[in-house]
Amino acid sequence: MKNNLLTSIADNAGYVVVFLLLIAAMFVVAKVAEKLVAKKTGDDGSALTTRKVVIIGLFSAISAILMIFEIPVFFAPSFYKIDLSDLPAVVGAFAFGPMTGVLIEFIKILLNLVINGTTTAFVGELANFIVGCSYVLPASIIYLFKKTRKMAMISCLTGTLIITIVGSSLNAFYLLPAFAALYGMPVDSLIAMGTAVNPSINNMLTFVLFAVAPLNLLKGGIITGVTVAVYKKLSPIIKNATIVSAKRQEA
């Protein structure tokens, strides 16, 4: 089985290359966004300070733990589950910028692979990273321009909309075909698993409309609600700790 999987990955190297390019694109977008925000606001917080490194490490570990606890949903096949591992990345991105959020998402995936390995030929893990970043990046970029509770709500709702669009499109045009190709199975077999859950699912379009889109809307809604509820309470703790750390370094 292991040899068959490795052979399948080798035969579908194009999918792996595209995934790597998408990962690189997330980091590029985060870096460019931070530079644009710094140019507009005059606040350049992109430096990788000791405190920021500690926060990234801590939040990545929390994200990796949260990723283990997956919640199945009744309206989608069993291989779709919700986890709240993006929450620490959103909080970190709100506090320190988009690059911090992307780094947390990336390290979370590496930690998860070390702990659990992969059962999806890395497709599931890479998808989790890309979809997570599709929420974290727009939400944190919008919030950095104006750090108010109202803007936090707007930015998170925007993130929910984008994660739904990106998650649905990515599944329809790339992830499901990639997963099927890597395992040498027809896409129709995956759609049939959706049909077993909901008879209205009978093709790729209905699969996305009735399974993938609601899943991402639900996930984005939960992350939005929790982030708006807790970030302003956590922010002073994170910021004060950062100030204390900076004073200690100066001393």
Side-chain angles (χ1 to χ4, degrees), residues 81-126:
K81 295 181 177 68
I82 288 178
D83 68 71
L84 301 180
S85 62
D86 297 322
L87 270 171
V90 178
V91 173
F94 272 24
F96 297 114
M99 183 61 76
T100 295
V102 173
L103 283 170
I104 292 171
E105 290 281 358
F106 185 69
I107 297 171
K108 168 195 76 176
I109 296 301
L110 295 181
L111 290 173
N112 185 263
L113 287 171
V114 170
I115 296 169
N116 296 320
T118 180
T119 59
T120 61
F122 304 105
V123 173
E125 291 76 20
L126 292 169

Side-chain angles (χ1 to χ4, degrees), residues 150-212:
K150 180 180 179 181
M151 189 57 70
M153 175 63 78
I154 292 172
S155 65
C156 285
L157 289 176
T158 302
T160 299
L161 176 62
I162 293 177
I163 196 178
T164 302
I165 295 172
V166 171
S168 299
S169 302
L170 206 59
N171 270 272
F173 299 111
Y174 192 78
L175 293 177
L176 289 172
F179 188 83
L182 286 167
Y183 277 92
M185 61 190 297
V187 175
D188 288 345
S189 297
L190 299 176
I191 294 175
M193 294 175 71
T195 306
V197 174
N198 181 354
S200 298
I201 297 174
N202 51 35
N203 54 38
M204 183 62 76
L205 177 61
T206 53
F207 189 98
V208 169
L209 286 177
F210 297 130
V212 182

Side-chain angles (χ1 to χ4, degrees), residues 26-87:
M26 296 299 168
F27 281 99
V28 170
V29 169
K31 188 64 178 178
V32 171
E34 287 194 349
K35 287 187 175 295
L36 289 175
V37 171
K39 185 176 181 180
K40 184 175 180 64
T41 64
D43 180 17
D44 186 6
S46 61
L48 200 62
T49 63
T50 301
R51 177 60 188 175
K52 191 183 292 188
V53 170
V54 172
I55 291 294
I56 290 172
L58 177 61
F59 281 19
S60 297
I62 295 172
S63 289
I65 293 171
L66 289 174
M67 194 174 175
I68 297 172
F69 299 97
E70 297 179 315
I71 306 167
V73 292
F74 67 90
F75 53 79
S78 59
F79 54 86
Y80 282 116
K81 295 181 177 68
I82 288 178
D83 68 71
L84 301 180
S85 62
D86 297 322
L87 270 171

Side-chain angles (χ1 to χ4, degrees), residues 233-247:
K233 297 176 183 178
L234 291 176
S235 180
I237 299 173
I238 298 173
K239 298 294 178 59
N240 288 339
T242 304
I243 293 172
V244 170
S245 176
K247 287 183 177 178

Side-chain angles (χ1 to χ4, degrees), residues 125-147:
E125 291 76 20
L126 292 169
N128 186 287
F129 171 78
I130 293 166
V131 173
C133 287
S134 73
Y135 182 102
V136 172
L137 282 174
S140 60
I141 291 169
I142 294 171
Y143 179 73
L144 284 181
F145 281 99
K146 191 174 183 181
K147 297 182 178 181

